[in-house]
């Protein structure tokens, strides 16, 4: 890998899958030869001599290097090619040299910017493009949660991190080797190919324990793209070999967090070298506060979601349990929800001057889009509230003291809008923070209270509730 790659002064790393091994007590000449190749590839900086030589001076470097390998993997350090050592060597694995604890590339390369862009040029057919986008964003968020870097996906031009799914030879002088071997590789931060991340299309990419879990592999590779080398800690994300773990609620392990914070510093502090304590997470808003104000409310499936700042509360259809979490943990890339509504199996989420369409936890392809694509003028930079009224087949959107009616079938606003909120819905006031429909009634929230509104027959206010009445507060 000389020439073009060497000029760019970046180092390629790969992650691979585990496979079985056939233990043996007395290693054959073939096994000794494979061991030499293994040590030459992954411990070449230490120097390896042929194990077949009868010279004691020739055996010492081999035994010493073998001992380093045994030490790294937590094996008994014997310097001899025993059964356990052969088993570890039999596992397909990463092509980058092993290091102790968390490690960094020579010279500690890093991104000298606050926003790093990324772009996917070639997708896998194993998963939908929207699922791939959401999964990669979720993997990058592991790092942006703990270091002062943000990541932005672009769909044209050259990004800092170029991502593709390709099989065999794919243009970087490091061809992939087919299914169940090398899963992916990445380059350390830098110009040109620096940071680029490639996935082997011959693998079966999934989000489960079968095949290659894209989230786990991407999270590992993005660690290299941030400047991390490999770790000796078996529970670390940057451990050389791939092992599936439950990804529900997955956060960056301590060893990896300390390693990347040693390069960039801690999120919310200056990027000084050296490990830092874990950052404190943003506290959830007080759901039982008498002054609770909602940013948005909507049903998603059979659950009612209440949004506030970067968090949400989910009230189950059984009305007996409330779950809280961060918005980005469900929809990576969306920081805050200003307004939301559900129509069919699709949910529209508004944030600032853009909106997303999602199904479940998946952002649909092509989003976010600007509010102008929804039919608003450029003067509208934020939607305050939104609600779809299924029994009237209408969608209402609230901005300031006015509201619009949206035609879902034609994808445009109805003629004659916007109109005054106070005149269109007498009694609810002049502003709306959040709105939702439940069992034929509309709920319009402003400040810490909401008006229950009848829109069947005679339209009128039926009552007033405190927002926290939905939060199971005593």
């Amino acid at each position: 890998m000389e020439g073009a790659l060497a000029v760019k002064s970046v180092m390629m790393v790969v992650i691979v899958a585990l496979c079985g091994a056939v233990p043996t007590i007395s290693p054959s000449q073939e096994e000794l030869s494979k061991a030499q190749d293994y040590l030459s590839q992954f411990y070449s900086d230490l120097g390896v001599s042929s194990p077949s030589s009868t010279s004691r001076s020739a055996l010492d470097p081999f035994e010493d290097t073998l001992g380093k390998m045994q030490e790294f993997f937590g094996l008994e350090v014997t310097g001899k090619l025993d059964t356990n050592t052969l088993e570890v060597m039999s596992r397909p694995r990463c092509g980058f040299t092993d290091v102790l604890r968390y490690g960094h590339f020579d010279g500690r390369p890093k991104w000298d910017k606050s926003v790093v862009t990324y772009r996917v040029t070639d997708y896998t057919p194993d998963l939908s493009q929207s699922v791939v986008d959401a999964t990669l964003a979720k993997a990058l968020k592991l790092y942006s949660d703990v270091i002062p870097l943000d990541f932005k996906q672009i769909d044209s031009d050259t990004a800092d991190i170029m991502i593709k799914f390709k099989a065999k030879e794919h243009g970087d002088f490091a061809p992939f080797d087919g299914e169940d071997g090398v899963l992916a590789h990445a380059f350390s931060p830098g110009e040109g190919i620096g940071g680029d991340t490639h996935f082997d299309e011959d693998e079966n990419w999934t989000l489960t324990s079968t095949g290659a879990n894209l989230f786990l592999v991407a999270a590992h590779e993005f660690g290299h793209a941030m400047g991390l080398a490999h770790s000796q800690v078996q529970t670390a994300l940057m451990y050389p070999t791939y092992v599936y773990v439950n990804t529900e609620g997955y956060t960056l392990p301590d060893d990896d967090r300390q390693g990347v914070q040693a390069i960039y510093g801690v999120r919310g502090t200056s990027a000084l070298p050296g490990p830092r304590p874990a950052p404190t997470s943003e506290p959830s808003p007080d759901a039982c506060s008498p002054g609770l104000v909602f940013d948005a409310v909507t049903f998603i499936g059979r659950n009612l979601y209440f949004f506030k700042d970067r968090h949400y509360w989910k009230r189950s259809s059984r009305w007996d349990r409330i779950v809280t979490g961060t918005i980005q943990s469900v929809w990576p890339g969306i920081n805050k929800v200003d307004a939301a509504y559900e129509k069919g199996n699709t949910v529209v989420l508004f944030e600032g001057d853009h909106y997303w369409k999602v199904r479940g936890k998946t952002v649909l392809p092509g989003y976010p889009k600007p509010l102008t694509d929804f039919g608003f003028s450029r003067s509208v930079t934020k939607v305050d509230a939104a609600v779809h009224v299924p029994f009237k087949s209408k969608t209402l959107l609230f901005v300031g003291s006015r509201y619009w009616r949206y035609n879902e079938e034609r994808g445009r606003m109805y003629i004659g809008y916007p109109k005054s909120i106070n005149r269109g819905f007498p009694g609810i006031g002049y502003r709306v923070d959040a709105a939702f429909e439940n069992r034929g009634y509309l709920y319009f929230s402003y400040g810490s209270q909401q008006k229950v509104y009848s829109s069947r027959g005679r339209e009128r206010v039926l009552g007033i509730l405190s927002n926290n009445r939905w939060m199971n507060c005593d």
Side-chain angles (χ1 to χ4, degrees):
M1 290 189 51
E2 298 178 351
L5 298 185
V7 170
K8 296 183 181 297
S9 298
V10 294
M11 302 182 70
M12 184 184 71
V13 290
V14 296
I15 184 172
V16 295
L18 294 173
C19 71
V22 180
T24 181
I25 298 176
S26 178
S28 65
Q29 185 61 42
E30 180 182 1
E31 289 168 330
L32 289 172
S33 179
K34 288 182 178 179
Q36 180 191 8
D37 292 340
Y38 184 97
L39 296 179
S40 295
Q41 182 176 0
F42 304 121
Y43 295 83
S44 58
D45 291 341
L46 300 176
V48 181
S49 298
S50 172
S52 61
S53 170
T54 57
S55 166
R56 180 65 184 175
S57 60
L59 282 171
D60 284 345
F62 175 80
E63 292 181 355
D64 180 64
T65 305
L66 184 61
K68 298 292 185 182
M69 176 264 175
Q70 292 170 329
E71 179 183 9
F72 178 88
F73 283 100
L75 304 171
E76 181 182 0
V77 180
T78 63
K80 305 297 182 182
L81 200 57
D82 54 35
T83 301
N84 291 337
T85 305
L86 283 169
E87 192 278 327
V88 172
M89 286 183 170
S90 296
R91 304 172 184 171
R93 48 141 300 148
C94 172
F96 183 65
T97 185
D98 296 329
V99 294
L100 299 178
R101 207 164 174 268
Y102 65 75
H104 305 118
F105 292 108
D106 291 341
R108 193 174 289 191
K110 60 178 290 188
W111 297 107
D112 292 320
K113 55 180 67 178
S114 60
V115 178
V116 175
T117 60
Y118 66 99
R119 178 187 173 191
V120 184
T121 59
D122 298 275
Y123 285 85
T124 174
D126 299 339
L127 300 166
S128 69
Q129 291 189 15
S130 60
V131 168
V132 171
D133 287 342
T135 302
L136 297 180
K138 182 180 177 182
L140 286 167
K141 186 177 179 295
L142 291 175
Y143 298 95
S144 62
D145 276 349
V146 300
I147 60 175
L149 273 188
D150 290 309
F151 301 97
K152 179 181 180 181
Q153 183 174 8
I154 62 176
D155 55 14
S156 62
D157 300 325
T158 301
D160 297 314
I161 300 175
M162 299 292 283
I163 301 168
K164 61 184 176 183
F165 292 77
K166 286 287 189 179
K168 303 301 191 295
E169 176 58 52
H170 53 280
D172 62 3
F173 304 99
F176 287 125
D177 55 3
E179 188 177 4
D180 292 332
V182 174
L183 297 182
H185 57 228
F187 297 85
S188 61
E191 297 295 326
I193 204 170
D196 290 359
T197 304
H198 305 154
F199 299 89
D200 187 355
E201 183 46 52
D202 280 334
E203 307 300 337
N204 176 30
W205 294 104
T206 73
L207 297 183
T208 66
S209 60
T210 62
N213 184 283
L214 179 58
F215 171 72
L216 292 174
V217 176
H220 177 106
E221 296 305 329
F222 289 148
H224 294 312
M226 295 302 102
L228 289 178
H230 281 145
S231 170
Q232 186 187 15
V233 178
Q234 293 189 22
T235 57
L237 177 62
M238 300 311 296
Y239 193 67
T241 53
Y242 169 80
V243 177
Y244 175 80
V245 297
N246 187 355
T247 61
E248 185 69 26
Y250 186 89
T251 57
L252 203 63
D254 286 345
D255 186 68
D256 309 289
R257 175 183 54 77
Q258 293 175 22
V260 76
Q261 287 178 341
I263 301 175
Y264 296 97
V266 178
R267 182 114 192 153
T269 67
S270 58
L272 299 175
R276 296 286 189 270
T280 56
S281 58
E282 180 181 339
S284 300
D286 182 3
C288 292
S289 169
L292 176 64
V293 178
F294 296 134
D295 292 334
V297 183
T298 187
F299 272 94
I300 300 179
R302 298 175 60 85
N303 298 312
L304 189 57
Y305 280 72
F306 302 84
F307 297 92
K308 177 64 177 175
D309 299 329
R310 294 176 180 269
H311 296 80
Y312 70 86
W313 296 281
K314 180 178 71 173
R315 182 166 181 148
S316 73
S317 57
R318 297 187 303 274
W319 308 109
D320 60 358
R321 183 172 179 239
I322 292 179
V323 177
T324 186
T326 62
I327 296 169
Q328 283 220 1
S329 68
V330 181
W331 301 284
I334 304 178
N335 297 305
K336 185 176 183 289
V337 175
D338 298 321
Y341 73 90
E342 180 186 56
K343 182 182 184 301
N345 63 351
T346 300
V347 176
V348 181
L349 302 175
F350 296 88
E351 180 185 15
D353 59 359
H354 286 74
Y355 71 100
W356 287 257
K357 286 188 176 181
V358 304
R359 286 181 185 151
K361 297 182 180 181
T362 302
V363 176
L364 298 185
Y367 292 88
K369 292 183 178 180
L371 292 182
T372 52
D373 280 16
F374 209 94
F376 288 105
S377 67
R378 294 186 182 277
S379 62
V380 176
T381 59
K382 176 180 178 292
V383 177
D384 295 329
V387 60
H388 180 70
V389 188
F391 53 87
K392 290 195 173 182
S393 298
K394 65 181 181 181
T395 298
L396 305 173
L397 302 135
F398 300 83
V399 178
S401 62
R402 301 181 298 172
Y403 76 99
W404 281 254
R405 183 176 175 183
Y406 183 72
N407 188 321
E408 295 283 351
E409 283 65 40
R410 296 190 177 185
R412 66 188 186 191
M413 300 295 186
Y414 279 94
I415 297 174
Y417 291 83
K419 295 182 178 181
S420 166
I421 294 174
N422 186 52
R423 296 189 65 178
F425 300 92
I428 71 169
Y430 296 88
R431 298 288 297 266
V432 177
D433 290 331
F436 66 101
E437 183 273 336
N438 180 38
R439 299 182 180 180
Y441 297 96
L442 296 177
Y443 294 75
F444 295 108
S445 176
Y446 181 67
S448 61
Q449 294 184 328
Q450 56 191 237
K451 306 286 180 63
V452 184
Y453 197 82
S454 170
S455 59
R456 294 181 185 268
R458 180 188 173 191
E459 297 187 351
R460 66 193 189 279
V461 174
L462 300 178
I464 301 176
L465 299 175
S466 296
N467 284 343
N468 64 8
R469 284 285 298 274
W470 295 92
M471 297 292 111
N472 289 349
C473 300
D474 294 330

